[in-house]
Amino acid sequence: MLRDEEDAFGHEMLDYLEKGEAVEIIERDDGFIDVSGGAKAYFAEYEEWPSHQKEAMAYVNGRVLDVGCGAGRVALYLQEKGLEVLGIDNSPLAIDVCKRRGLKKCRVLPVTRVSSRLGVFDTILMFGNNFGLFGSPRRARWLLRRFGNMTSLQGRIIAESNDVHKTEIPEHLVYHEFNRKRGRMPGQVRIRVRYRRHATPWFDYLMVSKEEMRGILADTGWRVSGFLDSEGSPYIAVIEKT
Amino acid sequence: MLRDEEDAFGHEMLDYLEKGEAVEIIERDDGFIDVSGGAKAYFAEYEEWPSHQKEAMAYVNGRVLDVGCGAGRVALYLQEKGLEVLGIDNSPLAIDVCKRRGLKKCRVLPVTRVSSRLGVFDTILMFGNNFGLFGSPRRARWLLRRFGNMTSLQGRIIAESNDVHKTEIPEHLVYHEFNRKRGRMPGQVRIRVRYRRHATPWFDYLMVSKEEMRGILADTGWRVSGFLDSEGSPYIAVIEKT
């Protein structure tokens, strides 16, 4: 369980809920630092979502697990549609925020701790770039197999990633090469979230091209049945059982 | 001279000049981190300045030294008014930006390296909180005496500071106490500027109340002749020879 001083993401969510503003800073292990889209995106209403995310809602059905549910924007939308949704996040304060916003089922749980004890799901959501929570190809394959045991026969994973190879930003290209040299995937970024005096532990976040995603899925019991593209480098994969 | 990877402030200025945006991140030595007002403020035209800064222009005359001139907003304004202005900044890229924007006289120089070799000035500007560049009370008093030898008899220092005691932000109050305990002034913050992969060395930046400023000026040959208040905690002191 994250200690309070490590719950940078949760403090950000809580401040945004209470004060309407919070700036998220992401620091990468090569010293690169920048603000993200910010807390606002985690509270966006359906109408404000990018269209590929809206389109993805058509593939959601049955009992839903929202992995890395943040402030609950997707889980709350689905709950309102009448679906049964369980939101999980490793941030205790983010889960508090979800509860305060009316999400009925949510709990503090990192993706590595999911198991069939949570019951059987028809849809597993990894939205807002949360394919990244797999962390590494190895851990992705290990968790994908576990997801197989937690899902119905028609079960789907709807996962968003970011094709980092589409960037032309020099600092990022240098970082991809740095990653290759140390035996990591180019888009396997090691980052931490910083918010005021809070900083999460360093963690790996995995961003992949469609090709790379297909490679990771091979022999895990899952395959991509379709992609939903955005106007930029983010995309959503609809993943089904082989 | 700052190395390129240390010139975070300058890279920020250059990117803002070329791309119209740049986010400045300030990290404090207690781990607190946040964005500042950003690069935009360093490029603000006179019309956009806060009114206490506009009012301060009435006290500027003769030959002017702009200490920490940044992107040159104040120096360029005065140059256009026909005054002779020398802008100095310790950031090589900021000085490049000043030159590209048309500032005739500017050079890379930290405040600690100013001397009478620069000639005699009638006004020394430390704008935009740049009283902070004094760093510590001790260094302030040493530099104030040096300023005495670089200025005409009617010479003035027009310096902006920030009364940190007016804050109610818990993290800042804790930091002030932390500073007191380690024998520093409450508002003597140790910070660095971070911008993408660039980070300045850690440096001390001194923010004081009016009382504290008067205490620092005592027996330096300088005294406050008047204050110009803002609506918040920043204020400008007009400082003259005793």
Side-chain angles (χ1 to χ4, degrees):
Chain A
M1 173 87 90
L2 287 181
R3 287 175 288 124
D4 184 66
E5 62 266 36
E6 296 177 323
D7 195 0
F9 179 75
H11 276 281
E12 180 198 330
M13 294 302 104
L14 187 62
D15 276 3
Y16 191 85
L17 181 73
E18 294 184 343
K19 300 168 195 169
E21 66 172 310
V23 176
E24 180 180 72
I25 292 173
I26 306 289
E27 185 176 21
R28 199 168 62 190
D29 68 341
D30 62 339
F32 185 85
I33 195 161
D34 207 354
V35 296
S36 76
K40 193 172 184 292
Y42 297 106
F43 287 81
E45 298 290 331
Y46 176 83
E47 290 68 29
E48 306 164 279
W49 298 0
S51 39
H52 70 297
Q53 292 191 351
K54 289 181 185 170
E55 287 162 32
M57 290 299 104
Y59 298 86
V60 178
N61 62 52
R63 188 164 177 254
V64 182
L65 178 66
D66 185 356
V67 176
C69 61
R73 68 176 173 111
V74 179
L76 284 162
Y77 169 80
L78 294 169
Q79 178 177 282
E80 215 156 286
K81 292 277 168 198
L83 279 78
E84 186 192 334
V85 195
L86 172 63
I88 62 167
D89 204 290
N90 78 334
S91 158
L93 282 176
I95 292 298
D96 281 354
V97 166
C98 286
K99 285 178 185 161
R100 281 173 58 175
R101 297 182 75 206
L103 188 60
K104 288 177 201 152
K105 296 187 180 174
C106 50
R107 50 191 284 196
V108 181
L109 201 72
V111 62
T112 48
R113 301 280 300 280
V114 300
S115 75
S116 51
R117 277 173 300 171
L118 299 175
V120 174
F121 297 92
D122 302 294
T123 309
I124 295 181
L125 282 180
M126 305 179 89
F127 240 56
N129 217 4
N130 272 347
F131 185 87
L133 294 177
F134 281 140
S136 71
R138 188 196 177 99
R139 212 171 71 172
R141 294 163 63 80
W142 164 63
L143 284 166
L144 282 161
R145 291 203 176 86
R146 189 181 292 180
F147 282 5
N149 298 325
M150 297 167 50
T151 40
S152 58
L153 213 65
Q154 303 300 322
R156 280 191 187 122
I157 302 167
I158 302 177
E160 189 167 10
S161 192
N162 188 349
D163 185 352
V164 293
H165 305 286
K166 287 189 174 169
T167 190
E168 288 177 1
I169 296 171
E171 294 103 317
H172 296 344
L173 295 172
V174 166
Y175 186 75
H176 298 167
E177 194 50 36
F178 169 56
N179 264 346
R180 277 190 196 93
K181 279 185 183 147
R182 55 179 178 170
R184 293 159 65 93
M185 291 190 75
Q188 191 179 347
V189 299
R190 183 162 291 165
I191 56 175
R192 58 177 180 169
V193 178
R194 298 187 66 172
Y195 178 68
R196 302 180 70 88
R197 283 198 65 174
H198 310 281
T200 65
W202 291 95
F203 63 98
D204 283 347
Y205 202 64
L206 179 63
M207 294 185 282
V208 293
S209 68
K210 293 174 181 175
E211 276 297 296
E212 290 169 331
M213 186 184 284
R214 282 208 178 89
I216 288 167
L217 293 183
D219 303 319
T220 61
W222 296 96
R223 63 173 184 85
V224 175
S225 71
F227 289 114
L228 302 168
D229 290 323
S230 72
E231 282 169 21
S233 51
Y235 67 90
I236 288 171
V238 179
I239 298 168
E240 297 182 337
K241 293 190 171 178
T242 50
Chain B
M1 173 88 91
L2 287 181
R3 287 176 288 124
D4 185 66
E5 62 266 36
E6 295 176 324
D7 195 0
F9 179 75
H11 276 281
E12 181 198 330
M13 293 301 105
L14 187 62
D15 276 4
Y16 190 85
L17 181 72
E18 294 184 340
K19 300 167 195 168
E21 65 172 309
V23 176
E24 180 179 73
I25 293 173
I26 306 289
E27 186 176 19
R28 199 169 59 190
D29 68 342
D30 63 338
F32 184 86
I33 196 162
D34 206 355
V35 296
S36 77
K40 192 171 185 293
Y42 297 107
F43 287 81
E45 300 288 332
Y46 177 82
E47 289 68 31
E48 306 164 279
W49 298 359
S51 40
H52 69 298
Q53 292 192 350
K54 289 181 186 171
E55 288 161 32
M57 291 298 105
Y59 298 86
V60 179
N61 63 53
R63 188 163 178 253
V64 182
L65 178 67
D66 185 357
V67 176
C69 61
R73 69 176 174 111
V74 179
L76 284 162
Y77 169 81
L78 294 170
Q79 178 177 283
E80 215 157 286
K81 292 277 167 199
L83 279 78
E84 186 191 334
V85 195
L86 171 63
I88 62 168
D89 204 289
N90 78 334
S91 158
L93 283 175
I95 291 300
D96 281 354
V97 166
C98 286
K99 285 179 185 160
R100 281 173 59 174
R101 297 181 76 207
L103 188 60
K104 288 175 200 151
K105 297 186 179 176
C106 50
R107 50 190 286 193
V108 182
L109 200 73
V111 63
T112 48
R113 302 281 298 281
V114 299
S115 76
S116 51
R117 277 173 300 171
L118 298 175
V120 174
F121 296 93
D122 303 295
T123 309
I124 296 181
L125 284 180
M126 306 179 87
F127 240 55
N129 216 4
N130 272 347
F131 185 87
L133 294 177
F134 281 140
S136 72
R138 188 197 176 100
R139 213 171 71 172
R141 295 163 62 80
W142 164 61
L143 283 166
L144 283 162
R145 290 202 178 88
R146 189 180 294 180
F147 283 4
N149 297 325
M150 298 166 51
T151 41
S152 58
L153 212 65
Q154 304 299 323
R156 282 192 186 119
I157 302 167
I158 303 177
E160 191 166 7
S161 191
N162 188 351
D163 185 351
V164 294
H165 305 286
K166 287 190 173 167
T167 191
E168 288 177 3
I169 296 171
E171 295 103 317
H172 296 344
L173 295 173
V174 167
Y175 186 75
H176 298 167
E177 194 50 35
F178 169 56
N179 264 347
R180 277 191 197 92
K181 279 186 182 147
R182 55 180 179 167
R184 294 159 65 93
M185 290 191 76
Q188 192 180 347
V189 300
R190 182 162 290 164
I191 56 175
R192 58 177 180 169
V193 178
R194 297 186 67 171
Y195 178 67
R196 303 179 70 86
R197 284 198 64 175
H198 310 279
T200 65
W202 291 96
F203 63 97
D204 283 348
Y205 202 64
L206 179 62
M207 293 184 283
V208 292
S209 68
K210 294 174 181 175
E211 276 297 295
E212 289 169 332
M213 186 183 284
R214 282 210 178 90
I216 288 167
L217 293 183
D219 302 318
T220 62
W222 296 96
R223 62 172 185 86
V224 174
S225 70
F227 289 114
L228 302 168
D229 289 322
S230 72
E231 282 169 21
S233 51
Y235 66 91
I236 288 172
V238 179
I239 299 168
E240 297 183 338
K241 293 190 172 178
T242 49

